[in-house]
Amino acid sequence: MSWSTVYVSGRVGFEREVLHQLEKSGFSFLAGTEENGYALFWIDHLAKLREFKIAIGSKTIFRYRLQFYLSVDEALQKRNTAGFTPDEQNKIKRMQDWERLRNTA
């Protein structure tokens, strides 16, 4: 059997619940390491990500705000761009400018 890797991140404590749900579902997987907020899972290369998510269950996914990545690069790229959007940055700058003007007046 060939395996594909899936990286999962979420709120604190998600790993134990995800393992519990996967074991309960009978979905074929191997658990890997947990590092830097990511849990690694190996799933059958013929399985679809959607099947993996169904095995975990929507309640668990939403409770822990789980996010799924198919590579480390994808996960790291998402983490590096998780800041504010350009519109949000512009609003923050305007608020800071307004606060500065208010404090100097």
Side-chain angles (χ1 to χ4, degrees):
M1 178 186 300
S2 293
W3 299 95
S4 296
T5 56
V6 177
Y7 298 87
V8 182
S9 68
R11 291 185 174 174
V12 175
F14 77 91
E15 298 92 348
R16 185 178 307 174
E17 181 65 19
V18 168
L19 283 172
H20 173 72
Q21 293 298 331
L22 287 170
E23 289 168 353
K24 189 170 81 171
S25 74
F27 186 84
S28 181
F29 76 98
L30 293 173
T33 59
E34 300 166 16
E35 205 171 298
N36 297 325
Y38 295 100
L40 169 65
F41 295 93
W42 286 283
I43 63 172
D44 184 340
H45 77 286
L46 297 176
K48 293 181 175 30
L49 183 58
R50 186 176 198 287
E51 296 168 341
F52 182 61
K53 290 178 179 181
I54 289 171
I56 294 170
S58 61
K59 287 184 181 180
T60 301
I61 290 171
F62 289 115
R63 180 181 306 128
Y64 291 98
R65 304 294 189 253
L66 299 182
Q67 295 182 356
F68 300 84
Y69 308 97
L70 299 177
S71 71
V72 173
D73 293 335
E74 182 184 357
L76 293 176
Q77 181 180 16
K78 177 70 174 181
R79 179 178 279 179
N80 291 337
T81 60
F84 295 108
T85 65
D87 185 48
E88 292 169 330
Q89 290 173 350
N90 188 29
K91 288 178 182 177
I92 291 169
K93 184 182 179 321
R94 287 192 334 223
M95 288 186 306
Q96 289 170 338
D97 291 345
W98 178 83
E99 185 70 26
R100 224 176 290 123
L101 284 172
R102 195 181 106 195
N103 287 338
T104 58

